[in-house]
Amino acid sequence: MIDKVCIALDAMGGDHGPEVVVPGAAIALTRKPDTSFLFVGDEARIRPLLDAHPNLAAVSEIQHTDVAVRMEDKPSVALRQGRRRSSMWLALEAVKGRRAHVAVSAGNTGALMAMSRFCLRMLPDIDRPAIAAIWPTLRGESIVLDVGATIGADAKQLVDFAVMGSAMARILFDIERPTVGLLNVGVEEIKGVEQVKEAARLLKEQAFPGMDFRGFVEGDDIGKGSVDVVVTEGFSGNIALKTAEGTARQIGEYLRSALGRTFLSKIGYLLAKHAFDTLKDKMDPRKVNGGVFLGLDGVVIKSHGGADAEGFASAVELGYDMARYDLTAKILQGHVHERAAMAAGMASATEPALAEAAS
Amino acid sequence: MIDKVCIALDAMGGDHGPEVVVPGAAIALTRKPDTSFLFVGDEARIRPLLDAHPNLAAVSEIQHTDVAVRMEDKPSVALRQGRRRSSMWLALEAVKGRRAHVAVSAGNTGALMAMSRFCLRMLPDIDRPAIAAIWPTLRGESIVLDVGATIGADAKQLVDFAVMGSAMARILFDIERPTVGLLNVGVEEIKGVEQVKEAARLLKEQAFPGMDFRGFVEGDDIGKGSVDVVVTEGFSGNIALKTAEGTARQIGEYLRSALGRTFLSKIGYLLAKHAFDTLKDKMDPRKVNGGVFLGLDGVVIKSHGGADAEGFASAVELGYDMARYDLTAKILQGHVHERAAMAAGMASATEPALAEAAS
């Protein structure tokens, strides 16, 4: 466990830049006082905002740069123009150089992922990164990954995702053996693609001490909170996430229009306002803001681009937790087991052949 | 257009069998009076139920069989045990023999799809069936396919799905050129798998007269109703559908528990009850009950296994519409254009080579 967490912030990322990043950090600091910050970006814009928060200013440094990745930049353009000099890159570089424990950016996802891979590199033996989202459920929260870092994944990569997701769940939910499910479809006999079936076989066989593998789950299990960690490849994960967001917005819209329609329903709304506030609170996307980039040699958190200060603070606090309880080390622990189990599996598979050769 | 639609019903399908199928048909008949029915199943159970609905009995026949596919049967088991003799098979056979225009079953999806393929066969040049779901949206309703008939689809199969889905949309929404979108993920530069990109290229190039292709859509576009028809392969489609169902249930649960918590919120609920009923009505899964099996040489409708009589009636009425306005003919029309466009595409692609050879 780290004593004081230093968080590098891409101050220019997101729709609002420093106007959200600085106040967001100030909110996070009130809840996580053992934190220091490195703001990377345009000093002329950051300094006055920081001056308005003396407590924050006391634990913060600014690293100036003129260059910022734009929200609409393609990853390749961002890399070409922003490498080694943009606020996004320099925040990541602070993590690489161990001057910060975690980088948080509300900048564009594609660029952040491309730069993270380029700057931080992957952990040994993990060939694909994943973005893990925190998903509100009827039981509390679950982790769903990959929600869109890459498309497609073979069985070994899905096992890696399970290892990384359960490492994150151990920190976030403070449980020893989070339950893990593989996302699949429920049509008998065409159940799942080959790689999903094979990943299930491997996860059963390898019996990871750090996870409780529960087999397949379906789309409706996510909202139920049937498992702590839902594993899938990035295409279906991204579609599940966006579809759920769309459905929540759709129902909110129905509700608003239904409740505003008549005088009685308006009165009813006022009387039940507290209940609606509870509901709103439960569905508040700001509370679960922040995707965690997994598989990299360093911790990176992506905040929603449109997040306000409260939302950005959630992403900062998520980064704090991941750094403080050493996500990367926990992933590596799980991964060491995975490799040992694979090696053992291969050894036992080759044994009969060896015995035969010896006879 | 067909004068009188004959609907073959698998009376033994679903969780409740004839107890739901017969009253469901009775409800459908009140709204679609130009219908006749063929009930396939256990006559001893169907007859007394039918006697309770004289108007229905007057336009119905019973085809007796003792054999019923169970909800838990695997497709291969169902086929082995139920072929040529189960109520499910015989309802399909009535469609094949042109004694009925459409078959409706609430039996298990895997078995119904396997039997449909086996009994009815595919339409010429369509190699994969799809299940199309009707999805309530902020604009009304959209069609989403495939929600789980098969897993994976190449570009040509995705184009087939677009053709079939837009044929269905022309009937269901009574519009000449339904808008069509390909489901994709929104992460820049890793946007989509190869087959999805290639399908987009083909759909643009072929310029189908019966559809207005709008390019890619994302998960949250489904609930918005951004397009009339959302096309994707069965794995991601099934996950999207189940995730949306799960999210709707989750929010309903939140709402119920929030509104029941205090005295004021209970009063508020009562005052706004009409508003909640409107909402409930909008989200009533019975209203959009029924998946349409597309790509087969015959129309087959799958009702939810747990549907009540009102829900089953929706599936029957959906089947009525698809038969009456000749879904199969509309698919074939679209498909003829697709083949012509493909042939033209190939011709123009080979032209330079021919010119070269001639020179």
Side-chain angles (χ1 to χ4, degrees), chain A residues 72-77 108-110 131 135-138 140 147-152 183-193 196 218-224 232-255 257-259 261-262 264-269 271-272 274-276 278-279 282-283, chain B residues 72-77 108-110 131 135-138 140 147-152 183-193 196 218-224 232-255 257-259 261-262 264-269 271-272 274-276 278-279 282-283:
Chain A
E72 65 281 7
D73 282 347
K74 285 192 178 177
S76 55
V77 174
N108 94 56
T109 312
I131 302 176
W135 193 299
T137 72
L138 285 175
V147 296
T150 57
I151 283 174
L183 195 59
N184 203 344
V185 297
V187 183
E188 273 302 335
E189 272 179 39
I190 60 151
K191 250 201 175 88
V193 268
V196 179
E218 296 188 37
D220 52 343
D221 286 306
I222 312 178
K224 281 185 205 157
T232 188
E233 57 76 43
F235 190 82
S236 46
N238 187 273
I239 283 170
L241 180 68
K242 295 243 167 101
T243 303
E245 286 173 354
T247 305
R249 219 171 298 132
Q250 180 184 357
I251 297 173
E253 201 62 53
Y254 286 158
L255 199 59
S257 97
L259 285 170
R261 202 163 289 151
T262 66
L264 270 190
S265 65
K266 279 181 196 161
I267 300 284
Y269 169 75
L271 288 178
H274 181 73
F276 287 112
T278 309
L279 177 69
K282 265 200 194 280
M283 291 175 59
Chain B
E72 66 279 10
D73 282 348
K74 286 192 175 177
S76 55
V77 174
N108 95 56
T109 311
I131 302 178
W135 193 297
T137 73
L138 285 174
V147 294
T150 57
I151 283 175
L183 195 58
N184 203 344
V185 297
V187 183
E188 272 302 337
E189 270 175 43
I190 61 153
K191 252 204 173 86
V193 268
V196 178
E218 295 188 38
D220 52 342
D221 286 306
I222 312 177
K224 281 184 206 158
T232 188
E233 57 76 42
F235 191 82
S236 46
N238 187 273
I239 284 170
L241 180 68
K242 294 242 167 102
T243 302
E245 286 172 354
T247 305
R249 222 172 295 132
Q250 181 184 356
I251 297 172
E253 201 62 51
Y254 286 159
L255 200 58
S257 95
L259 285 171
R261 201 163 288 152
T262 66
L264 270 188
S265 65
K266 280 181 195 161
I267 300 283
Y269 169 75
L271 288 178
H274 181 72
F276 286 110
T278 310
L279 177 70
K282 268 204 193 275
M283 291 174 57

Side-chain angles (χ1 to χ4, degrees), chain A residues 57-125:
Chain A
V59 295
S60 297
E61 275 179 63
I62 300 176
Q63 180 175 354
H64 175 77
T65 176
D66 285 330
V67 184
V69 171
R70 280 161 307 201
M71 291 308 272
E72 65 281 7
D73 282 347
K74 285 192 178 177
S76 55
V77 174
L79 257 182
R80 204 160 50 235
Q81 298 177 347
R83 199 174 139 197
R84 304 199 198 289
R85 50 201 205 107
S86 65
S87 58
M88 187 184 273
W89 177 279
L90 294 171
L92 295 167
E93 212 170 57
V95 173
K96 189 185 173 67
R98 309 299 181 216
R99 287 178 295 124
H101 298 102
V102 48
V104 182
S105 174
N108 94 56
T109 312
L112 185 61
M113 181 49 88
M115 285 198 178
S116 297
R117 291 182 77 156
F118 213 89
C119 178
L120 296 173
R121 305 280 162 185
M122 301 299 297
L123 283 173
D125 281 316

Side-chain angles (χ1 to χ4, degrees), chain A residues 21-240:
Chain A
V21 171
V22 176
I27 295 171
L29 182 66
T30 60
R31 292 192 286 243
K32 310 280 184 186
D34 52 341
T35 311
S36 67
F37 294 95
L38 174 68
F39 289 90
V40 189
D42 183 354
E43 183 158 12
R45 283 179 67 194
I46 300 166
R47 180 67 67 195
L49 290 161
L50 211 48
D51 287 343
H53 299 279
N55 288 345
L56 177 64
V59 295
S60 297
E61 275 179 63
I62 300 176
Q63 180 175 354
H64 175 77
T65 176
D66 285 330
V67 184
V69 171
R70 280 161 307 201
M71 291 308 272
E72 65 281 7
D73 282 347
K74 285 192 178 177
S76 55
V77 174
L79 257 182
R80 204 160 50 235
Q81 298 177 347
R83 199 174 139 197
R84 304 199 198 289
R85 50 201 205 107
S86 65
S87 58
M88 187 184 273
W89 177 279
L90 294 171
L92 295 167
E93 212 170 57
V95 173
K96 189 185 173 67
R98 309 299 181 216
R99 287 178 295 124
H101 298 102
V102 48
V104 182
S105 174
N108 94 56
T109 312
L112 185 61
M113 181 49 88
M115 285 198 178
S116 297
R117 291 182 77 156
F118 213 89
C119 178
L120 296 173
R121 305 280 162 185
M122 301 299 297
L123 283 173
D125 281 316
I126 292 188
D127 29 85
R128 289 200 170 193
I131 302 176
I134 301 169
W135 193 299
T137 72
L138 285 175
R139 268 196 337 131
E141 285 173 351
S142 295
I143 291 167
V144 180
L145 77 164
D146 171 27
V147 296
T150 57
I151 283 174
D154 62 22
K156 191 259 178 195
Q157 287 155 354
L158 289 170
V159 172
D160 286 348
F161 290 177
V163 167
M164 301 194 294
S166 51
M168 179 175 158
R170 281 205 295 283
I171 296 176
L172 202 64
F173 309 139
D174 195 19
I175 36 179
E176 266 313 295
R177 296 184 71 219
T179 53
V180 174
L182 275 169
L183 195 59
N184 203 344
V185 297
V187 183
E188 273 302 335
E189 272 179 39
I190 60 151
K191 250 201 175 88
V193 268
E194 282 320 305
Q195 54 270 40
V196 179
K197 285 185 199 167
E198 173 64 7
R201 200 188 58 73
L202 289 172
L203 284 166
K204 247 174 240 156
E205 197 179 272
Q206 296 181 5
F208 288 88
M211 71 172 94
D212 175 7
F213 178 60
R214 295 288 177 91
F216 299 130
V217 294
E218 296 188 37
D220 52 343
D221 286 306
I222 312 178
K224 281 185 205 157
S226 304
V227 288
D228 298 313
V229 182
V230 176
V231 173
T232 188
E233 57 76 43
F235 190 82
S236 46
N238 187 273
I239 283 170

